[in-house]
């Protein structure tokens, strides 16, 4: 059996992101035709999801209580919960698992090929984000958020000349040649399960000294990069971590899809509550729209966008939120999103 899992807890916007990701799974990835795939949502807001989608026997809800969540975030590191979810989910639902961050959209019907690779013991992550050595150079040369810069630079400067010693007396020496992979998507099966304990031990060891925000992907990249040639998923799934207002664009698109009745025959979207979602997002992003004078966000309501235009359009609003030159440095040019960034930077947008 194949599973696509989400972790959506806390703020309502994370649940909304998961909704849009699931809609894209139906609209562009042909989910209804893949009867061997189920969705698992670890959440404290199952009532919200059922209110939006109605009941569906291919969506499984796992209650994420505050007590369980706190135990998964041992030491206070939030993203440690993703690793614990992988362990919990694989224990309850053995098969091939794709853990997908909520701020993602499916852009291609490639699920059969993707799960086939996982079933053949290929380990998947979203996309490669340069070596540690390259990331160190970028932080040294490009002015970015000081807190984030200090966090990563401090860790990289340490591992350049030092090792970590775990609680089990295991020495961890991380080479600067290690490739960092984005963990917006993680695909694995039971053959990969035992190494998750090593990932957790590495997280707990390093987090005591360095409160590094993306430590979970650092540890996943190190542990699985030693054993496998990690496979990317960025041509199938897009992780829009770079600009959350992209989800407002996605919502407008799905609003048009719903109005045209394109979800009418979908058992998932029979009772799709588009009004509630749209009102929430307009309120949530109203200040951003005003501050950044993003006229495009208003104009898009009158445009007949095709689905594949969403990502390029989203790339054009980067100029309002983040220096596109920095993103070009951080993300390899040969990656799916790297090619989009290069194209739109060259166009002068």
């Amino acid at each position: 059996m194949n599973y696509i899992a989400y972790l959506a807890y806390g703020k309502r916007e994370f649940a909304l992101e998961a909704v849009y990701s699931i809609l894209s799974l139906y609209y562009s990835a042909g989910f209804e035709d893949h009867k061997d795939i189920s969705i698992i949502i670890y959440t404290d807001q199952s009532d919200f999801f059922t209110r939006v989608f109605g009941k569906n026997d291919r969506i499984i809800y796992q209650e994420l209580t505050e007590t369980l969540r706190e135990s998964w975030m041992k030491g206070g590191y939030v993203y440690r919960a993703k690793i614990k979810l992988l362990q919990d989910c694989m224990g309850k639902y053995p098969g091939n698992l794709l853990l997908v961050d909520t701020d993602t959209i499916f852009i291609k019907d490639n699920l059969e090929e993707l799960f086939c690779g996982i079933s053949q013991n290929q380990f998947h992550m979203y996309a490669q984000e340069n070596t540690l050595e390259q990331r160190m150079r970028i932080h040294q040369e490009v002015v970015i958020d000081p807190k984030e810069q200090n966090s990563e630079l401090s860790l990289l400067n340490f591992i350049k000349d030092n090792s970590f010693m775990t609680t089990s007396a295991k020495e961890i020496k991380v080479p600067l040649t290690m490739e960092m992979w984005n963990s917006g998507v993680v695909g694995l099966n039971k053959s990969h399960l035992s190494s998750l304990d090593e990932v957790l031990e590495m997280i707990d060891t390093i987090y005591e000294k360095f409160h590094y925000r993306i430590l979970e992907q650092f540890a996943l990249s190190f542990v699985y990069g030693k054993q496998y040639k990690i496979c990317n998923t960025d041509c199938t799934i897009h992780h829009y971590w770079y600009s959350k207002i992209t989800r407002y664009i996605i919502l407008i698109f799905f609003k048009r899809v719903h109005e045209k009745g394109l979800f009418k025959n979908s058992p998932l979207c029979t009772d799709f509550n588009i009004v509630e979602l749209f009102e929430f997002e307009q309120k949530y992003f109203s200040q951003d729209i005003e501050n950044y004078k993003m006229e495009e966000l208003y104009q898009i309501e009158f445009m007949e966008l095709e689905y594949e235009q969403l990502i390029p359009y989203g790339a054009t609003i980067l100029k309002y939120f983040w220096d596109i030159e920095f993103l070009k440095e951080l993300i390899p040019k040969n990656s799916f999103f790297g090619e989009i960034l290069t194209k739109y930077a060259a166009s002068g947008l």
Side-chain angles (χ1 to χ4, degrees), residues 7 10 55 62 103 132 151 155 165 173 247 282 290:
L7 176 61
K55 294 183 178 180
Q62 287 290 322
D103 54 346
L132 298 184
S151 172
L155 174 59
M165 191 63 69
K173 178 61 180 174
R247 79 172 193 245
Q282 283 188 313
E290 181 180 343

Side-chain angles (χ1 to χ4, degrees), residues 6 8 12-26 39 41 45 48-53 59 61 101-106 240 247 250-251 254 263 268-269 272-274 277 281:
Y6 291 89
R12 176 54 53 85
E13 48 261 40
F14 301 135
L16 287 164
E17 288 177 349
V19 166
Y20 309 148
S21 183
I22 293 169
L23 288 177
S24 71
L25 179 59
Y26 269 74
I39 299 169
I41 306 176
Q45 302 177 60
F48 167 74
F49 286 101
T50 54
R51 191 166 72 249
V52 172
F53 289 139
I59 299 181
Y61 297 104
D101 279 5
T102 57
D103 54 346
T104 56
I105 52 174
F106 286 78
Y240 56 92
R247 79 172 193 245
I250 294 167
L251 173 61
F254 282 126
F263 283 143
L268 176 70
C269 307
F272 181 38
N273 191 340
I274 191 69
L277 305 188
E281 294 289 34

Side-chain angles (χ1 to χ4, degrees), residues 274-291:
I274 191 69
V275 174
E276 176 183 352
L277 305 188
F278 199 71
E279 288 178 351
F280 181 95
E281 294 289 34
Q282 283 188 313
K283 182 178 179 180
Y284 184 86
F285 286 116
S286 60
Q287 192 63 45
D288 287 328
I289 294 170
E290 181 180 343
N291 289 344

Side-chain angles (χ1 to χ4, degrees), residues 72-315:
W72 281 7
M73 298 175 188
K74 174 186 173 183
Y77 179 53
V78 173
Y79 299 128
R80 188 181 188 273
K82 290 174 65 173
I83 311 303
K84 294 299 294 183
L85 183 153
L86 290 170
Q87 290 182 322
D88 187 80
C89 197
M90 290 293 294
K92 294 176 178 175
Y93 307 99
N96 303 306
L97 175 63
L98 198 65
L99 174 60
V100 181
D101 279 5
T102 57
D103 54 346
T104 56
I105 52 174
F106 286 78
I107 57 178
K108 183 180 179 182
D109 185 357
N110 196 34
L111 295 177
E112 186 173 351
E113 182 178 339
L114 188 54
F115 278 110
C116 180
I118 297 173
S119 70
Q120 295 172 0
N121 302 331
Q122 294 175 1
F123 186 81
H124 288 69
M125 294 184 73
Y126 173 64
Q128 196 254 94
E129 292 183 340
N130 291 315
T131 66
L132 298 184
E133 190 172 35
Q134 290 169 323
R135 294 175 72 89
M136 177 180 282
R137 176 185 58 77
I138 292 167
H139 279 293
Q140 290 169 339
E141 296 179 359
V142 182
V143 177
I144 59 171
D145 177 66
K147 184 177 180 181
E148 185 70 19
Q149 182 180 39
N150 292 338
S151 172
E152 183 159 36
L153 262 181
S154 297
L155 174 59
L156 295 178
N157 283 324
F158 178 86
I159 66 176
K160 182 171 62 175
D161 302 310
N162 300 278
S163 302
F164 291 98
M165 191 63 69
T166 68
T167 53
S168 62
K170 180 179 179 180
E171 184 182 23
I172 301 175
K173 178 61 180 174
V174 181
L176 289 178
T177 55
M178 184 195 95
E179 293 180 344
M180 175 77 92
W181 284 76
N182 184 296
S183 63
V185 180
V186 180
L188 74 171
N189 66 14
K190 63 180 181 181
S191 70
H192 307 109
L193 189 56
S194 60
S195 295
L196 289 176
D197 286 330
E198 185 179 348
V199 172
L200 285 172
E201 186 174 32
M202 186 174 183
I203 288 173
D204 295 342
T205 299
I206 297 177
Y207 196 72
E208 283 188 9
K209 188 174 182 66
F210 298 97
H211 287 198
Y212 181 34
R213 184 177 62 85
I214 53 175
L215 181 55
E216 102 288 350
Q217 73 176 34
F218 179 90
L220 284 166
S221 299
F222 174 75
V223 171
Y224 288 97
K226 291 188 303 180
Q227 306 172 57
Y228 303 93
K229 183 182 183 302
I230 300 176
C231 301
N232 67 302
T233 60
D234 60 338
C235 286
T236 303
I237 305 167
H238 181 64
H239 183 203
Y240 56 92
W241 55 269
Y242 56 90
S243 175
K244 289 305 186 80
I245 204 166
T246 303
R247 79 172 193 245
Y248 182 71
I249 296 173
I250 294 167
L251 173 61
I252 293 173
F253 173 80
F254 282 126
K255 179 173 179 284
R256 297 189 69 87
V257 168
H258 182 67
E259 289 170 349
K260 291 179 179 180
L262 298 181
F263 283 143
K264 191 171 295 183
N265 297 321
S266 168
L268 176 70
C269 307
T270 302
D271 300 315
F272 181 38
N273 191 340
I274 191 69
V275 174
E276 176 183 352
L277 305 188
F278 199 71
E279 288 178 351
F280 181 95
E281 294 289 34
Q282 283 188 313
K283 182 178 179 180
Y284 184 86
F285 286 116
S286 60
Q287 192 63 45
D288 287 328
I289 294 170
E290 181 180 343
N291 289 344
Y292 292 96
K293 296 181 172 62
M294 300 178 68
E295 292 86 355
E296 294 98 328
L297 291 178
Y298 297 106
Q299 294 169 0
I300 195 173
E301 291 197 60
F302 306 102
M303 296 170 63
E304 291 294 327
L305 282 183
E306 297 296 330
Y307 189 83
E308 59 270 15
Q309 291 178 275
L310 279 175
I311 294 172
Y313 188 88

